mmCIF file with all atom_site columns, all heavy atoms in Angstrom:
data_model
loop_
_atom_site.group_PDB
_atom_site.id
_atom_site.type_symbol
_atom_site.label_atom_id
_atom_site.label_alt_id
_atom_site.label_comp_id
_atom_site.label_asym_id
_atom_site.label_entity_id
_atom_site.label_seq_id
_atom_site.pdbx_PDB_ins_code
_atom_site.Cartn_x
_atom_site.Cartn_y
_atom_site.Cartn_z
_atom_site.occupancy
_atom_site.B_iso_or_equiv
_atom_site.pdbx_formal_charge
_atom_site.auth_seq_id
_atom_site.auth_comp_id
_atom_site.auth_asym_id
_atom_site.auth_atom_id
_atom_site.pdbx_PDB_model_num
ATOM 1   N N   . GLN S 1 56 ? 74.401 205.007 51.891 1.00 96.00 ? 1093 GLN S N   1
ATOM 2   C CA  . GLN S 1 56 ? 75.060 203.791 51.418 1.00 96.00 ? 1093 GLN S CA  1
ATOM 3   C C   . GLN S 1 56 ? 76.148 204.196 50.442 1.00 96.00 ? 1093 GLN S C   1
ATOM 4   O O   . GLN S 1 56 ? 75.866 204.767 49.390 1.00 96.00 ? 1093 GLN S O   1
ATOM 5   C CB  . GLN S 1 56 ? 74.049 202.865 50.724 1.00 96.00 ? 1093 GLN S CB  1
ATOM 6   C CG  . GLN S 1 56 ? 73.114 202.183 51.684 1.00 96.00 ? 1093 GLN S CG  1
ATOM 7   C CD  . GLN S 1 56 ? 71.802 201.773 51.043 1.00 96.00 ? 1093 GLN S CD  1
ATOM 8   O OE1 . GLN S 1 56 ? 70.888 201.406 51.762 1.00 96.00 ? 1093 GLN S OE1 1
ATOM 9   N NE2 . GLN S 1 56 ? 71.666 201.822 49.746 1.00 96.00 ? 1093 GLN S NE2 1
ATOM 10  N N   . VAL S 1 57 ? 77.368 203.923 50.796 1.00 95.00 ? 1094 VAL S N   1
ATOM 11  C CA  . VAL S 1 57 ? 78.476 204.353 49.934 1.00 95.00 ? 1094 VAL S CA  1
ATOM 12  C C   . VAL S 1 57 ? 79.575 203.306 49.952 1.00 95.00 ? 1094 VAL S C   1
ATOM 13  O O   . VAL S 1 57 ? 79.832 202.667 50.973 1.00 95.00 ? 1094 VAL S O   1
ATOM 14  C CB  . VAL S 1 57 ? 79.025 205.732 50.389 1.00 95.00 ? 1094 VAL S CB  1
ATOM 15  C CG1 . VAL S 1 57 ? 79.557 205.676 51.810 1.00 95.00 ? 1094 VAL S CG1 1
ATOM 16  C CG2 . VAL S 1 57 ? 80.108 206.240 49.443 1.00 95.00 ? 1094 VAL S CG2 1
ATOM 17  N N   . ILE S 1 58 ? 80.203 203.131 48.786 1.00 95.00 ? 1095 ILE S N   1
ATOM 18  C CA  . ILE S 1 58 ? 81.355 202.248 48.658 1.00 95.00 ? 1095 ILE S CA  1
ATOM 19  C C   . ILE S 1 58 ? 82.566 203.120 48.341 1.00 95.00 ? 1095 ILE S C   1
ATOM 20  O O   . ILE S 1 58 ? 82.582 203.839 47.341 1.00 95.00 ? 1095 ILE S O   1
ATOM 21  C CB  . ILE S 1 58 ? 81.148 201.198 47.548 1.00 95.00 ? 1095 ILE S CB  1
ATOM 22  C CG1 . ILE S 1 58 ? 80.000 200.246 47.936 1.00 95.00 ? 1095 ILE S CG1 1
ATOM 23  C CG2 . ILE S 1 58 ? 82.428 200.406 47.302 1.00 95.00 ? 1095 ILE S CG2 1
ATOM 24  C CD1 . ILE S 1 58 ? 79.653 199.229 46.860 1.00 95.00 ? 1095 ILE S CD1 1
ATOM 25  N N   . TYR S 1 59 ? 83.555 203.067 49.220 1.00 95.00 ? 1096 TYR S N   1
ATOM 26  C CA  . TYR S 1 59 ? 84.799 203.790 49.001 1.00 95.00 ? 1096 TYR S CA  1
ATOM 27  C C   . TYR S 1 59 ? 85.773 202.849 48.291 1.00 95.00 ? 1096 TYR S C   1
ATOM 28  O O   . TYR S 1 59 ? 86.073 201.768 48.808 1.00 95.00 ? 1096 TYR S O   1
ATOM 29  C CB  . TYR S 1 59 ? 85.391 204.256 50.332 1.00 95.00 ? 1096 TYR S CB  1
ATOM 30  C CG  . TYR S 1 59 ? 84.498 205.223 51.078 1.00 95.00 ? 1096 TYR S CG  1
ATOM 31  C CD1 . TYR S 1 59 ? 83.690 204.797 52.132 1.00 95.00 ? 1096 TYR S CD1 1
ATOM 32  C CD2 . TYR S 1 59 ? 84.436 206.564 50.712 1.00 95.00 ? 1096 TYR S CD2 1
ATOM 33  C CE1 . TYR S 1 59 ? 82.855 205.672 52.806 1.00 95.00 ? 1096 TYR S CE1 1
ATOM 34  C CE2 . TYR S 1 59 ? 83.613 207.451 51.389 1.00 95.00 ? 1096 TYR S CE2 1
ATOM 35  C CZ  . TYR S 1 59 ? 82.826 206.998 52.427 1.00 95.00 ? 1096 TYR S CZ  1
ATOM 36  O OH  . TYR S 1 59 ? 82.000 207.880 53.086 1.00 95.00 ? 1096 TYR S OH  1
ATOM 37  N N   . TYR S 1 60 ? 86.229 203.241 47.122 1.00 93.00 ? 1097 TYR S N   1
ATOM 38  C CA  . TYR S 1 60 ? 87.074 202.355 46.333 1.00 93.00 ? 1097 TYR S CA  1
ATOM 39  C C   . TYR S 1 60 ? 88.332 203.076 45.872 1.00 93.00 ? 1097 TYR S C   1
ATOM 40  O O   . TYR S 1 60 ? 88.377 204.306 45.806 1.00 93.00 ? 1097 TYR S O   1
ATOM 41  C CB  . TYR S 1 60 ? 86.300 201.802 45.131 1.00 93.00 ? 1097 TYR S CB  1
ATOM 42  C CG  . TYR S 1 60 ? 85.974 202.826 44.061 1.00 93.00 ? 1097 TYR S CG  1
ATOM 43  C CD1 . TYR S 1 60 ? 86.725 202.894 42.885 1.00 93.00 ? 1097 TYR S CD1 1
ATOM 44  C CD2 . TYR S 1 60 ? 84.928 203.728 44.221 1.00 93.00 ? 1097 TYR S CD2 1
ATOM 45  C CE1 . TYR S 1 60 ? 86.445 203.831 41.906 1.00 93.00 ? 1097 TYR S CE1 1
ATOM 46  C CE2 . TYR S 1 60 ? 84.630 204.663 43.244 1.00 93.00 ? 1097 TYR S CE2 1
ATOM 47  C CZ  . TYR S 1 60 ? 85.388 204.710 42.087 1.00 93.00 ? 1097 TYR S CZ  1
ATOM 48  O OH  . TYR S 1 60 ? 85.112 205.649 41.126 1.00 93.00 ? 1097 TYR S OH  1
ATOM 49  N N   . GLY S 1 61 ? 89.341 202.283 45.569 1.00 92.00 ? 1098 GLY S N   1
ATOM 50  C CA  . GLY S 1 61 ? 90.603 202.852 45.121 1.00 92.00 ? 1098 GLY S CA  1
ATOM 51  C C   . GLY S 1 61 ? 91.719 201.841 45.257 1.00 92.00 ? 1098 GLY S C   1
ATOM 52  O O   . GLY S 1 61 ? 91.501 200.678 45.621 1.00 92.00 ? 1098 GLY S O   1
ATOM 53  N N   . ALA S 1 62 ? 92.931 202.276 44.970 1.00 92.00 ? 1099 ALA S N   1
ATOM 54  C CA  . ALA S 1 62 ? 94.104 201.407 45.055 1.00 92.00 ? 1099 ALA S CA  1
ATOM 55  C C   . ALA S 1 62 ? 94.367 201.010 46.504 1.00 92.00 ? 1099 ALA S C   1
ATOM 56  O O   . ALA S 1 62 ? 93.929 201.693 47.437 1.00 92.00 ? 1099 ALA S O   1
ATOM 57  C CB  . ALA S 1 62 ? 95.318 202.128 44.471 1.00 92.00 ? 1099 ALA S CB  1
ATOM 58  N N   . PRO S 1 63 ? 95.087 199.913 46.728 1.00 92.00 ? 1100 PRO S N   1
ATOM 59  C CA  . PRO S 1 63 ? 95.391 199.500 48.097 1.00 92.00 ? 1100 PRO S CA  1
ATOM 60  C C   . PRO S 1 63 ? 96.249 200.531 48.825 1.00 92.00 ? 1100 PRO S C   1
ATOM 61  O O   . PRO S 1 63 ? 97.206 201.062 48.264 1.00 92.00 ? 1100 PRO S O   1
ATOM 62  C CB  . PRO S 1 63 ? 96.146 198.171 47.916 1.00 92.00 ? 1100 PRO S CB  1
ATOM 63  C CG  . PRO S 1 63 ? 96.646 198.195 46.511 1.00 92.00 ? 1100 PRO S CG  1
ATOM 64  C CD  . PRO S 1 63 ? 95.641 198.975 45.729 1.00 92.00 ? 1100 PRO S CD  1
ATOM 65  N N   . GLY S 1 64 ? 95.867 200.835 50.066 1.00 93.00 ? 1101 GLY S N   1
ATOM 66  C CA  . GLY S 1 64 ? 96.660 201.750 50.869 1.00 93.00 ? 1101 GLY S CA  1
ATOM 67  C C   . GLY S 1 64 ? 96.296 203.211 50.721 1.00 93.00 ? 1101 GLY S C   1
ATOM 68  O O   . GLY S 1 64 ? 97.038 204.082 51.188 1.00 93.00 ? 1101 GLY S O   1
ATOM 69  N N   . THR S 1 65 ? 95.173 203.517 50.101 1.00 93.00 ? 1102 THR S N   1
ATOM 70  C CA  . THR S 1 65 ? 94.793 204.921 49.913 1.00 93.00 ? 1102 THR S CA  1
ATOM 71  C C   . THR S 1 65 ? 94.065 205.499 51.117 1.00 93.00 ? 1102 THR S C   1
ATOM 72  O O   . THR S 1 65 ? 93.828 206.712 51.172 1.00 93.00 ? 1102 THR S O   1
ATOM 73  C CB  . THR S 1 65 ? 93.908 205.088 48.665 1.00 93.00 ? 1102 THR S CB  1
ATOM 74  O OG1 . THR S 1 65 ? 92.824 204.147 48.727 1.00 93.00 ? 1102 THR S OG1 1
ATOM 75  C CG2 . THR S 1 65 ? 94.711 204.848 47.395 1.00 93.00 ? 1102 THR S CG2 1
ATOM 76  N N   . GLY S 1 66 ? 93.685 204.682 52.090 1.00 92.00 ? 1103 GLY S N   1
ATOM 77  C CA  . GLY S 1 66 ? 93.038 205.192 53.296 1.00 92.00 ? 1103 GLY S CA  1
ATOM 78  C C   . GLY S 1 66 ? 91.528 205.083 53.279 1.00 92.00 ? 1103 GLY S C   1
ATOM 79  O O   . GLY S 1 66 ? 90.827 205.922 53.857 1.00 92.00 ? 1103 GLY S O   1
ATOM 80  N N   . LYS S 1 67 ? 91.008 204.049 52.643 1.00 93.00 ? 1104 LYS S N   1
ATOM 81  C CA  . LYS S 1 67 ? 89.550 203.870 52.560 1.00 93.00 ? 1104 LYS S CA  1
ATOM 82  C C   . LYS S 1 67 ? 88.948 203.592 53.935 1.00 93.00 ? 1104 LYS S C   1
ATOM 83  O O   . LYS S 1 67 ? 87.922 204.185 54.315 1.00 93.00 ? 1104 LYS S O   1
ATOM 84  C CB  . LYS S 1 67 ? 89.222 202.734 51.580 1.00 93.00 ? 1104 LYS S CB  1
ATOM 85  C CG  . LYS S 1 67 ? 89.688 203.018 50.159 1.00 93.00 ? 1104 LYS S CG  1
ATOM 86  C CD  . LYS S 1 67 ? 89.443 201.861 49.226 1.00 93.00 ? 1104 LYS S CD  1
ATOM 87  C CE  . LYS S 1 67 ? 90.368 200.696 49.505 1.00 93.00 ? 1104 LYS S CE  1
ATOM 88  N NZ  . LYS S 1 67 ? 91.780 200.999 49.217 1.00 93.00 ? 1104 LYS S NZ  1
ATOM 89  N N   . SER S 1 68 ? 89.562 202.710 54.687 1.00 91.00 ? 1105 SER S N   1
ATOM 90  C CA  . SER S 1 68 ? 89.059 202.410 56.041 1.00 91.00 ? 1105 SER S CA  1
ATOM 91  C C   . SER S 1 68 ? 89.235 203.621 56.953 1.00 91.00 ? 1105 SER S C   1
ATOM 92  O O   . SER S 1 68 ? 88.403 203.871 57.828 1.00 91.00 ? 1105 SER S O   1
ATOM 93  C CB  . SER S 1 68 ? 89.801 201.197 56.624 1.00 91.00 ? 1105 SER S CB  1
ATOM 94  O OG  . SER S 1 68 ? 89.540 200.039 55.861 1.00 91.00 ? 1105 SER S OG  1
ATOM 95  N N   . TYR S 1 69 ? 90.305 204.378 56.748 1.00 88.00 ? 1106 TYR S N   1
ATOM 96  C CA  . TYR S 1 69 ? 90.536 205.588 57.543 1.00 88.00 ? 1106 TYR S CA  1
ATOM 97  C C   . TYR S 1 69 ? 89.441 206.613 57.277 1.00 88.00 ? 1106 TYR S C   1
ATOM 98  O O   . TYR S 1 69 ? 89.002 207.322 58.184 1.00 88.00 ? 1106 TYR S O   1
ATOM 99  C CB  . TYR S 1 69 ? 91.909 206.170 57.220 1.00 88.00 ? 1106 TYR S CB  1
ATOM 100 C CG  . TYR S 1 69 ? 92.232 207.438 57.985 1.00 88.00 ? 1106 TYR S CG  1
ATOM 101 C CD1 . TYR S 1 69 ? 92.701 207.369 59.298 1.00 88.00 ? 1106 TYR S CD1 1
ATOM 102 C CD2 . TYR S 1 69 ? 92.052 208.688 57.412 1.00 88.00 ? 1106 TYR S CD2 1
ATOM 103 C CE1 . TYR S 1 69 ? 92.990 208.527 60.013 1.00 88.00 ? 1106 TYR S CE1 1
ATOM 104 C CE2 . TYR S 1 69 ? 92.334 209.852 58.119 1.00 88.00 ? 1106 TYR S CE2 1
ATOM 105 C CZ  . TYR S 1 69 ? 92.799 209.764 59.416 1.00 88.00 ? 1106 TYR S CZ  1
ATOM 106 O OH  . TYR S 1 69 ? 93.071 210.905 60.128 1.00 88.00 ? 1106 TYR S OH  1
ATOM 107 N N   . LYS S 1 70 ? 89.002 206.685 56.019 1.00 88.00 ? 1107 LYS S N   1
ATOM 108 C CA  . LYS S 1 70 ? 87.920 207.599 55.650 1.00 88.00 ? 1107 LYS S CA  1
ATOM 109 C C   . LYS S 1 70 ? 86.653 207.257 56.434 1.00 88.00 ? 1107 LYS S C   1
ATOM 110 O O   . LYS S 1 70 ? 85.975 208.140 56.975 1.00 88.00 ? 1107 LYS S O   1
ATOM 111 C CB  . LYS S 1 70 ? 87.655 207.499 54.154 1.00 88.00 ? 1107 LYS S CB  1
ATOM 112 C CG  . LYS S 1 70 ? 86.415 208.228 53.658 1.00 88.00 ? 1107 LYS S CG  1
ATOM 113 C CD  . LYS S 1 70 ? 86.638 209.710 53.561 1.00 88.00 ? 1107 LYS S CD  1
ATOM 114 C CE  . LYS S 1 70 ? 85.459 210.400 52.904 1.00 88.00 ? 1107 LYS S CE  1
ATOM 115 N NZ  . LYS S 1 70 ? 85.655 211.852 52.759 1.00 88.00 ? 1107 LYS S NZ  1
ATOM 116 N N   . ILE S 1 71 ? 86.344 205.978 56.514 1.00 89.00 ? 1108 ILE S N   1
ATOM 117 C CA  . ILE S 1 71 ? 85.159 205.545 57.267 1.00 89.00 ? 1108 ILE S CA  1
ATOM 118 C C   . ILE S 1 71 ? 85.329 205.833 58.749 1.00 89.00 ? 1108 ILE S C   1
ATOM 119 O O   . ILE S 1 71 ? 84.402 206.303 59.408 1.00 89.00 ? 1108 ILE S O   1
ATOM 120 C CB  . ILE S 1 71 ? 84.906 204.037 57.028 1.00 89.00 ? 1108 ILE S CB  1
ATOM 121 C CG1 . ILE S 1 71 ? 84.456 203.803 55.587 1.00 89.00 ? 1108 ILE S CG1 1
ATOM 122 C CG2 . ILE S 1 71 ? 83.870 203.495 58.009 1.00 89.00 ? 1108 ILE S CG2 1
ATOM 123 C CD1 . ILE S 1 71 ? 84.239 202.356 55.232 1.00 89.00 ? 1108 ILE S CD1 1
ATOM 124 N N   . LYS S 1 72 ? 86.514 205.580 59.267 1.00 86.00 ? 1109 LYS S N   1
ATOM 125 C CA  . LYS S 1 72 ? 86.776 205.817 60.684 1.00 86.00 ? 1109 LYS S CA  1
ATOM 126 C C   . LYS S 1 72 ? 86.585 207.280 61.040 1.00 86.00 ? 1109 LYS S C   1
ATOM 127 O O   . LYS S 1 72 ? 86.097 207.612 62.129 1.00 86.00 ? 1109 LYS S O   1
ATOM 128 C CB  . LYS S 1 72 ? 88.191 205.361 61.030 1.00 86.00 ? 1109 LYS S CB  1
ATOM 129 C CG  . LYS S 1 72 ? 88.497 205.338 62.518 1.00 86.00 ? 1109 LYS S CG  1
ATOM 130 C CD  . LYS S 1 72 ? 89.879 204.766 62.777 1.00 86.00 ? 1109 LYS S CD  1
ATOM 131 C CE  . LYS S 1 72 ? 90.181 204.720 64.267 1.00 86.00 ? 1109 LYS S CE  1
ATOM 132 N NZ  . LYS S 1 72 ? 91.532 204.162 64.539 1.00 86.00 ? 1109 LYS S NZ  1
ATOM 133 N N   . SER S 1 73 ? 86.953 208.173 60.121 1.00 82.00 ? 1110 SER S N   1
ATOM 134 C CA  . SER S 1 73 ? 86.795 209.600 60.388 1.00 82.00 ? 1110 SER S CA  1
ATOM 135 C C   . SER S 1 73 ? 85.328 209.998 60.442 1.00 82.00 ? 1110 SER S C   1
ATOM 136 O O   . SER S 1 73 ? 84.955 210.930 61.154 1.00 82.00 ? 1110 SER S O   1
ATOM 137 C CB  . SER S 1 73 ? 87.520 210.417 59.314 1.00 82.00 ? 1110 SER S CB  1
ATOM 138 O OG  . SER S 1 73 ? 86.905 210.251 58.047 1.00 82.00 ? 1110 SER S OG  1
ATOM 139 N N   . LEU S 1 74 ? 84.464 209.286 59.710 1.00 78.00 ? 1111 LEU S N   1
ATOM 140 C CA  . LEU S 1 74 ? 83.033 209.571 59.741 1.00 78.00 ? 1111 LEU S CA  1
ATOM 141 C C   . LEU S 1 74 ? 82.405 209.123 61.053 1.00 78.00 ? 1111 LEU S C   1
ATOM 142 O O   . LEU S 1 74 ? 81.406 209.679 61.502 1.00 78.00 ? 1111 LEU S O   1
ATOM 143 C CB  . LEU S 1 74 ? 82.317 208.869 58.584 1.00 78.00 ? 1111 LEU S CB  1
ATOM 144 C CG  . LEU S 1 74 ? 82.607 209.389 57.176 1.00 78.00 ? 1111 LEU S CG  1
ATOM 145 C CD1 . LEU S 1 74 ? 81.923 208.512 56.148 1.00 78.00 ? 1111 LEU S CD1 1
ATOM 146 C CD2 . LEU S 1 74 ? 82.161 210.825 57.022 1.00 78.00 ? 1111 LEU S CD2 1
ATOM 147 N N   . GLU S 1 75 ? 83.005 208.100 61.659 1.00 67.00 ? 1112 GLU S N   1
ATOM 148 C CA  . GLU S 1 75 ? 82.439 207.531 62.883 1.00 67.00 ? 1112 GLU S CA  1
ATOM 149 C C   . GLU S 1 75 ? 82.746 208.369 64.118 1.00 67.00 ? 1112 GLU S C   1
ATOM 150 O O   . GLU S 1 75 ? 82.079 208.220 65.147 1.00 67.00 ? 1112 GLU S O   1
ATOM 151 C CB  . GLU S 1 75 ? 83.005 206.125 63.122 1.00 67.00 ? 1112 GLU S CB  1
ATOM 152 C CG  . GLU S 1 75 ? 82.730 205.145 61.990 1.00 67.00 ? 1112 GLU S CG  1
ATOM 153 C CD  . GLU S 1 75 ? 83.637 203.938 62.094 1.00 67.00 ? 1112 GLU S CD  1
ATOM 154 O OE1 . GLU S 1 75 ? 84.413 203.867 63.065 1.00 67.00 ? 1112 GLU S OE1 1
ATOM 155 O OE2 . GLU S 1 75 ? 83.576 203.073 61.220 1.00 67.00 ? 1112 GLU S OE2 1
ATOM 156 N N   . LYS S 1 76 ? 83.736 209.237 64.027 1.00 59.00 ? 1113 LYS S N   1
ATOM 157 C CA  . LYS S 1 76 ? 84.173 209.967 65.216 1.00 59.00 ? 1113 LYS S CA  1
ATOM 158 C C   . LYS S 1 76 ? 83.043 210.784 65.816 1.00 59.00 ? 1113 LYS S C   1
ATOM 159 O O   . LYS S 1 76 ? 82.272 211.421 65.122 1.00 59.00 ? 1113 LYS S O   1
ATOM 160 C CB  . LYS S 1 76 ? 85.359 210.875 64.869 1.00 59.00 ? 1113 LYS S CB  1
ATOM 161 C CG  . LYS S 1 76 ? 86.654 210.111 64.606 1.00 59.00 ? 1113 LYS S CG  1
ATOM 162 C CD  . LYS S 1 76 ? 87.795 211.053 64.306 1.00 59.00 ? 1113 LYS S CD  1
ATOM 163 C CE  . LYS S 1 76 ? 89.092 210.277 64.082 1.00 59.00 ? 1113 LYS S CE  1
ATOM 164 N NZ  . LYS S 1 76 ? 90.220 211.168 63.753 1.00 59.00 ? 1113 LYS S NZ  1
ATOM 165 N N   . GLY S 1 77 ? 82.974 210.757 67.140 1.00 53.00 ? 1114 GLY S N   1
ATOM 166 C CA  . GLY S 1 77 ? 81.972 211.553 67.835 1.00 53.00 ? 1114 GLY S CA  1
ATOM 167 C C   . GLY S 1 77 ? 80.644 210.858 68.004 1.00 53.00 ? 1114 GLY S C   1
ATOM 168 O O   . GLY S 1 77 ? 79.715 211.404 68.602 1.00 53.00 ? 1114 GLY S O   1
ATOM 169 N N   . GLN S 1 78 ? 80.514 209.625 67.469 1.00 58.00 ? 1115 GLN S N   1
ATOM 170 C CA  . GLN S 1 78 ? 79.242 208.921 67.616 1.00 58.00 ? 1115 GLN S CA  1
ATOM 171 C C   . GLN S 1 78 ? 79.210 208.175 68.953 1.00 58.00 ? 1115 GLN S C   1
ATOM 172 O O   . GLN S 1 78 ? 80.222 207.692 69.445 1.00 58.00 ? 1115 GLN S O   1
ATOM 173 C CB  . GLN S 1 78 ? 79.038 207.947 66.451 1.00 58.00 ? 1115 GLN S CB  1
ATOM 174 C CG  . GLN S 1 78 ? 79.109 208.620 65.079 1.00 58.00 ? 1115 GLN S CG  1
ATOM 175 C CD  . GLN S 1 78 ? 78.152 209.786 64.947 1.00 58.00 ? 1115 GLN S CD  1
ATOM 176 O OE1 . GLN S 1 78 ? 77.055 209.754 65.501 1.00 58.00 ? 1115 GLN S OE1 1
ATOM 177 N NE2 . GLN S 1 78 ? 78.556 210.827 64.246 1.00 58.00 ? 1115 GLN S NE2 1
#
Side-chain angles (χ1 to χ4, degrees):
Q1093 287 155 191
V1094 61
I1095 294 176
Y1096 298 100
Y1097 69 102
T1102 51
K1104 298 176 289 294
S1105 296
Y1106 179 81
K1107 171 77 173 181
I1108 291 178
K1109 190 175 181 180
S1110 66
L1111 291 175
E1112 301 163 3
K1113 289 182 178 179
Q1115 304 306 325

